Amino acid sequence: DGGITQSPKYLFRKEGQNVTLSCEQNLNHDAMYWYRQDPGQGLRLIYYSQIVNDFQKGDIAEGYSVSREKKESFPLTVTSAQKNPTAFYLCASSHQGSGASSYEQYFGPGTRLTVT
Amino acid sequence: AQSVAQPEDQVNVAEGNPLTVKCTYSVSGNPYLFWYVQYPNRGLQFLLKYITGDNLVKGSYGFEAEFNKSQTSFHLKKPSALVSDSALYFCAVRDRGNYGQNFVFGPGTRLSVLP
């Protein structure tokens, strides 16, 4: 999990509340990503950012929002509009340049969000 | 569009036996290919990647994978499985010709190594 931190590890919220998940990296990576993982499922891309102050929607962006004010930080807000927010959320980062060491993603430890 | 298939939801193998976890992909150009492993309630850990060059790539924990362009496959292998290898394995692809394209992950294969 080195270099990327996500907090908290477990998060509990009541339905109708917005909640923000933290993701910080010290790898000097340009790109950052948020994925959602449901039990027994693969990863689905929520949002990604290739550079500070810019981000794009992924496959399942509805009900989520992000910001990228600093290179190191990419917080994800799960809004009350997200119909099924209970899931495991993973943050990742990667270089965007060229070179053989540039392309793999590095993942944080994840945040398990439970909304009741 | 890019896609990744992992045809087996579950692979069971006895400890000490060789293991294979299958992956096939589809991209419009030439691929970058990756394998990751996930242990319960943890993030994904990078195992290995194919960028260019030798079709057989070696990675962490004794794993290796073979890139086969004609079959569009990138199967993960290990000569002798350990119980501690039991985990969820993800194959991922990125189109090297499309700078803005993102990683696409397969659905995952659960590996169980039986003692």
Side-chain angles (χ1 to χ4, degrees), chain A residues 30-32 47-57 66-70 74:
Chain A
D30 298 305
M32 297 187 74
Y47 268 98
Y48 66 100
S49 168
Q50 294 179 325
I51 196 168
V52 174
N53 292 323
D54 188 44
F55 48 83
Q56 286 79 42
K57 294 181 179 179
V66 294
S67 63
R68 186 87 187 277
E69 296 177 2
K70 298 186 299 181
F74 192 41

Side-chain angles (χ1 to χ4, degrees), chain A residues 68-79:
Chain A
R68 186 87 187 277
E69 296 177 2
K70 298 186 299 181
K71 189 175 186 178
E72 301 79 20
S73 178
F74 192 41
L76 173 74
T77 296
V78 184
T79 75

Side-chain angles (χ1 to χ4, degrees), chain A residues 1 9 33 35 37 41-43 48 50 88 90 96 100-101 103-105 107-109 112, chain B residues 32 34 36 38 41-46 49 51 88 90 94 99-100 102-103 105-107:
Chain A
D1 302 334
K9 188 168 178 66
Y33 311 78
Y35 293 92
Q37 187 179 26
Q41 308 252 339
L43 278 64
Y48 66 100
Q50 294 179 325
F88 189 52
L90 287 162
Q96 284 293 88
S101 64
Y103 289 105
E104 63 264 31
Q105 287 183 318
F107 282 81
R112 185 165 298 281
Chain B
Y32 294 120
F34 309 87
Y36 291 84
Q38 184 182 34
N41 294 311
R42 302 289 297 276
L44 276 66
Q45 295 179 31
F46 170 73
K49 65 186 174 188
I51 302 298
L88 189 57
F90 290 98
R94 188 174 194 178
Y99 181 81
N102 282 302
F103 298 81
F105 285 82

